[in-house]
Amino acid sequence: MIQIKFKHSFAFRYFVFALFIVTAIFSTVAHTRAADGDLDASFGANGIVTDNFNGSFGIFTRSVKVQTDGKIFTGSAVLGADFQNFDFGILRYNTNGTLDASFGTNGRQIVDVDGGSESLPVILLQADGKIIIVGQRIVTGQSVRGIVLTRLNSNGSFDTSFGTNGKVITTYDSANKVNAALQSDGKIVVVGNWSGSSFSAARFNADGTLDNSFGTNGVVQNNITGNSGVSYTVTFQSDGKILVGGLITNSVSNTGDFIVFRYNTNGAVDTTFNGSGYTRIDFNNMRDAAQSLVVQPDGKIIAAGLATVATNIGNVFGIVRLNSDGSLDSTFGTAGKVSALPVNAFIDQINDRYPTLLQPDGKIVVGRTRFINDNANTGKQSNIARFNANGSLDTTFGIGGQIATTQIATLGDLALQTDGKIVAAGSGLNNGSAVAARYLNTAGSPTVNNPTLRYADFDGDGKSDVSVFRQGTWYINPSLNPNFAPDAPNASYGVQFGQAGDVTVPADYDGDGKSDIAVWRAGNLAYFYILNSSNNTFRAEQFGKTGDNPTVSGDWDADEKADLAVYRGGTQSFFYYRPSSAPAVDFVPVQWGTSEDTPIFGDFDGDRKLDAAVYRPSQNTFYVRQSSNGVMLARQWGNAQTDAIFAGDFDGDGKSDFAVQRFSGANAGTWYVAQSSGGNRAFQWGLGTDLPVPADYDGDGRTDFAVFRRSNGTWYIFQSATNTPRYSVFGAANDFPLPLNLVR
């Protein structure tokens, strides 16, 4: 094995080659880091930022959201000097915790919707950068009596294309406990209780009008005989069905239970869910309430909130996991339920502040406000706990699985950044400030084995490496240089492996978190040749034959190892893969596609398995067989005559997005992305003659727009983590840039 080592000059304009033999190509690089749950010192002042909106007389923080560029929004109800009227107070922070001066007035925006009083804003972020705010409308001296929605442009000004001059004002009587979520098609679902109904929901179109295809004139209202209650939270399944969670109270005993409803997309109760359309869960015949919902990639449903299990210990974290049919998942906790006592907590009150996050690694983060009464301290502070996927407390997080932050006296919300860090927002002591905190949490970041991300990551740092294949030699410019490079960080290297005509198939076949150098050689008996990065050993495996497409090799069975795989076109086309999790199985066939189709590499349902996916040129349509449920997903997107076709996770939600780059016509060089999280995106990057090389080069969990320009051997990368360009001269005109494997 010959390795070619070189470094490029400061101007990156030429290569200097030196040949030498090495016995070890890759080795583990030791890293040290602070513990998960520690405050992130790179954010604000030792992990904390506070703001009083220039001297507000009361601040009640409800919401936090993270933009795709890493900027952070918080939403509060801000009391004016008259001590009567509240307005929405929105802050936007840069990634380091400083206020973003490009938003509102020096990072702050006070939003007065109707001259009255607005409270408890929920922030929803559209893919195009616009900001939707949903809250409760209050009339001074009266009960809460309506819902308001407003949409802001990315700079904080009202978006006048929404509602009336950017505002929607409803008159639902006694609207209370309002929460909202944004559908992938831009529609807004608002839940709570109003007009005498325990469980209410309304759906608004993307322009702010009520959606008459939902319920009756856009509204659904439910009551269960003999019971009262309230809806606290709403989310969506991958098939578009709507889940609503809340509290149901027995009018005689005054005990309360978790309740989770499921609605069809038209607002009708889905009676296939637990046979009735709802599931009711009791912890100990006392007072319980489901205050947040998340859906796992496998379709299971997590509901978290307040649970009371004994009168002498107050209220605790209550978490349940349901199967997709609404039944309790017996593999979680005890018979599907978990109750965990917050540290040093004695008394709590029922509220709607139990925000929940699902990490990409399956761990569950739940937050709440805890009341302190330990004879040494009296007050409130935020309490965040992390649970393993089986429901047990994750003791690697904070202290014994939990963290407490005194600066946040009342917790409002949690958000998960694409790098795994946790952002918490709430109110300071005596509601005198809006407070945000950020915590280190590397376990929550996407793993290097996510099949949609970090293609050609040879050093295992979670970032794709700029790399090319040239007539049997691999040239790699690692983002984290191997420790055998004495002149790091400028060291790059070459490895002779394979020959001209081989197909490059880099992937992590040995499960060490690094891509292995590998090629596929066609023949009546085709072979994969793999250089294992974990121990520098070589292996050859026969799989496939001439005419197959091996660039679909990756993790098909979610065991964090890449599987040998090929796509074989025909009247009935097949994906074949050899599961690394089942050594005795030679191959698994998945029938999908026809003779004209081309295979697409991606995980479109977020279950960390590659899906059988093709693009049909005659219809300009992606067809996906989702591995999580076998359901077909189809999306007409792009044009095979003018576009390069591929997929990537551009919005960082753990699911592949349908994407094309236009190589001809008036818009040549423009990328068009249909984001799975909602909305479409167009971005001009590169020229029509450039080769698209989409991958995650900055390690933020999102695919970056990137091209390789043959004429000057330059990579042009737009880094999504910072929204900044990066340029690297690496390779020659006839080289094959490795991420081009993903493009059709």
Side-chain angles (χ1 to χ4, degrees):
M1 186 83 53
I2 297 176
Q3 175 166 291
I4 306 168
K5 181 180 178 182
F6 56 96
K7 65 178 184 178
H8 25 270
S9 69
F10 180 80
F12 295 102
R13 295 302 178 192
Y14 57 87
F15 297 134
V16 179
F17 293 93
L19 300 180
F20 64 97
I21 305 297
V22 297
T23 56
I25 293 178
F26 298 108
S27 61
T28 301
V29 182
H31 300 276
T32 59
R33 62 171 177 83
D36 284 358
D38 288 354
L39 283 165
D40 177 10
S42 69
F43 183 75
N46 298 315
I48 304 285
V49 293
T50 62
D51 194 89
N52 67 0
F53 286 94
N54 296 320
S56 169
F57 293 87
I59 297 172
F60 300 85
T61 301
R62 165 66 184 270
S63 187
V64 61
K65 290 291 188 296
V66 180
Q67 287 189 164
T68 55
D69 62 1
K71 292 183 180 182
I72 299 165
F73 280 102
T74 64
S76 308
V78 178
L79 182 63
D82 60 1
F83 290 93
Q84 291 183 332
N85 288 323
F86 283 93
D87 293 320
F88 295 146
I90 311 300
L91 301 172
R92 186 164 72 189
Y93 295 98
N94 296 308
T95 55
N96 63 359
T98 59
L99 283 168
D100 176 15
S102 68
F103 178 79
T105 303
N106 297 320
R108 305 178 184 91
Q109 185 67 299
I110 301 295
V111 181
D112 183 2
V113 178
D114 69 344
S117 195
E118 299 87 32
S119 186
L120 301 177
V122 177
I123 296 175
L124 307 173
L125 299 182
Q126 294 188 172
D128 60 3
K130 293 182 179 181
I131 307 112
I132 297 170
I133 307 168
V134 182
Q136 297 171 184
R137 178 172 180 249
I138 304 171
V139 176
T140 303
Q142 301 181 27
S143 62
V144 178
R145 57 172 291 231
I147 299 169
V148 291
L149 300 88
T150 184
R151 188 163 69 194
L152 307 179
N153 296 308
S154 60
N155 64 358
S157 62
F158 281 111
D159 173 17
T160 56
S161 68
F162 181 80
T164 302
N165 296 319
K167 309 167 188 177
V168 173
I169 301 171
T170 74
T171 56
Y172 299 133
D173 293 337
S174 301
N176 194 18
K177 302 299 183 185
V178 172
N179 208 335
L182 186 64
Q183 291 188 172
S184 60
D185 60 1
K187 293 182 179 181
I188 307 153
V189 177
V190 182
V191 300
N193 63 336
W194 56 77
S195 301
S197 174
S198 296
F199 308 103
S200 302
R203 189 164 71 191
F204 297 83
N205 294 309
D207 62 0
T209 58
L210 276 167
D211 176 14
N212 290 326
S213 69
F214 182 78
T216 302
N217 299 320
V219 177
V220 169
Q221 294 189 283
N222 259 337
N223 285 300
I224 296 177
T225 303
N227 298 269
S228 61
V230 60
S231 299
Y232 284 105
T233 183
V234 57
T235 193
F236 310 105
Q237 296 186 164
S238 60
D239 59 3
K241 291 185 178 181
I242 302 164
L243 296 167
V244 176
L247 159 73
I248 184 168
T249 304
N250 186 292
S251 57
V252 177
S253 65
N254 200 35
T255 58
D257 296 332
F258 276 38
I259 191 166
V260 179
F261 288 91
R262 188 164 74 190
Y263 297 93
N264 294 312
T265 55
N266 64 357
V269 173
D270 178 12
T271 56
T272 67
F273 188 71
N274 201 41
S276 60
Y278 65 88
T279 296
R280 184 171 181 169
I281 306 103
D282 173 44
F283 278 84
N284 196 32
N285 199 31
M286 299 182 76
R287 187 81 164 170
D288 315 315
Q291 289 148 321
S292 56
L293 290 171
V294 292
V295 181
Q296 295 186 167
D298 62 2
K300 293 183 178 181
I301 302 155
I302 296 167
L306 176 148
T308 308
V309 294
T311 57
N312 63 334
I313 64 171
N315 299 317
V316 302
F317 287 110
I319 310 173
V320 300
R321 189 163 69 195
L322 306 177
N323 296 308
S324 59
D325 62 1
S327 61
L328 282 164
D329 175 13
S330 61
T331 68
F332 182 78
T334 302
K337 296 182 281 188
V338 167
S339 56
L341 179 67
V343 178
N344 297 330
F346 286 77
I347 302 296
D348 199 359
Q349 61 186 7
I350 191 164
N351 56 56
D352 58 348
R353 302 293 186 276
Y354 277 74
T356 301
L357 305 172
L358 180 65
Q359 296 186 169
D361 58 6
K363 294 182 179 181
I364 304 158
V365 179
V366 185
R368 59 173 265 165
T369 299
R370 70 179 178 91
F371 285 66
I372 306 167
N373 184 9
D374 57 5
N375 298 320
N377 193 3
T378 300
K380 299 183 293 183
Q381 59 187 252
S382 67
N383 184 204
I384 302 172
R386 189 169 76 188
F387 299 83
N388 295 308
N390 64 0
S392 61
L393 263 174
D394 176 13
T395 56
T396 67
F397 182 78
I399 300 174
Q402 303 188 48
I403 54 176
T405 304
T406 56
Q407 292 92 332
I408 301 179
T410 304
L411 182 67
D413 200 7
L414 297 174
L416 191 68
Q417 295 187 167
T418 55
D419 62 0
K421 292 179 181 179
I422 297 168
V423 182
S427 303
L429 185 64
N430 298 321
N431 300 311
S433 59
V435 185
R438 190 165 70 194
Y439 306 92
L440 300 175
N441 186 36
T442 54
S445 60
T447 70
V448 297
N449 295 295
N450 186 324
T452 69
L453 295 174
R454 298 172 173 105
Y455 189 83
D457 176 15
F458 297 97
D459 52 14
D461 68 342
K463 302 175 183 179
S464 294
D465 300 317
V466 170
S467 47
V468 300
F469 182 70
R470 183 186 301 164
Q471 299 296 311
T473 301
W474 300 61
Y475 295 104
I476 298 168
N477 183 18
S479 48
L480 173 66
N481 286 283
N483 64 357
F484 63 75
D487 54 349
N490 293 322
S492 303
Y493 61 94
V495 177
Q496 184 180 329
F497 193 86
Q499 63 188 31
D502 288 347
V503 179
T504 56
V505 285
D508 182 12
Y509 297 95
D510 53 10
D512 67 346
K514 302 176 183 179
S515 293
D516 302 315
I517 291 174
V519 298
W520 183 82
R521 190 167 298 163
N524 290 332
L525 296 176
Y527 277 85
F528 282 81
Y529 297 99
I530 301 169
L531 179 62
N532 295 311
S533 57
S534 58
N535 54 17
N536 197 33
T537 60
F538 161 82
R539 64 184 171 118
E541 290 193 44
Q542 189 276 318
F543 199 80
K545 65 179 182 178
T546 296
D548 291 347
N549 187 331
T551 62
V552 294
S553 294
D555 192 358
W556 285 81
D557 54 6
D559 68 345
E560 300 191 347
K561 294 181 181 180
D563 307 306
L564 310 182
V566 297
Y567 174 77
R568 187 169 298 168
T571 304
Q572 292 183 333
S573 299
F574 282 86
F575 290 82
Y576 297 98
Y577 69 91
R578 178 172 292 167
S580 52
S581 60
V585 178
D586 186 55
F587 66 88
V588 174
V590 182
Q591 182 181 336
W592 197 249
T594 66
S595 56
E596 70 165 304
D597 297 342
T598 186
I600 299 296
F601 183 94
D603 171 19
F604 297 88
D605 52 9
D607 66 350
R608 296 188 175 274
K609 299 178 183 178
L610 289 176
D611 297 314
V614 297
Y615 189 80
R616 189 161 298 164
S618 64
Q619 300 174 10
N620 292 319
T621 300
F622 289 87
Y623 291 97
V624 180
R625 182 186 186 277
Q626 299 176 96
S627 57
S628 59
N629 54 21
V631 174
M632 184 181 76
L633 178 65
R635 180 62 184 265
Q636 188 174 23
W637 194 249
N639 188 315
Q641 302 303 312
T642 60
D643 299 338
I645 313 296
F646 46 90
D649 186 6
F650 291 86
D651 53 9
D653 67 348
K655 301 178 183 179
S656 293
D657 307 315
F658 304 114
V660 301
Q661 185 231 28
R662 192 139 296 165
F663 56 74
S664 68
N667 296 316
T670 301
W671 299 54
Y672 298 94
V673 181
Q675 300 181 133
S676 55
S677 60
N680 303 327
R681 186 178 181 188
F683 190 77
Q684 174 68 42
W685 192 250
L687 307 174
T689 53
D690 293 338
L691 300 178
V693 283
D696 181 12
Y697 297 94
D698 53 15
D700 69 342
R702 288 174 284 175
T703 302
D704 300 315
F705 300 104
V707 296
F708 176 70
R709 189 163 297 168
R710 289 188 182 277
S711 61
N712 59 8
T714 302
W715 299 64
Y716 297 92
I717 301 168
F718 190 81
Q719 300 175 115
S720 55
T722 57
N723 281 337
T724 57
R726 167 188 165 197
Y727 310 97
S728 180
V729 175
F730 196 85
N734 293 322
D735 290 347
F736 181 86
L738 295 181
L740 190 61
N741 269 344
L742 308 181
V743 179
R744 315 306 184 200

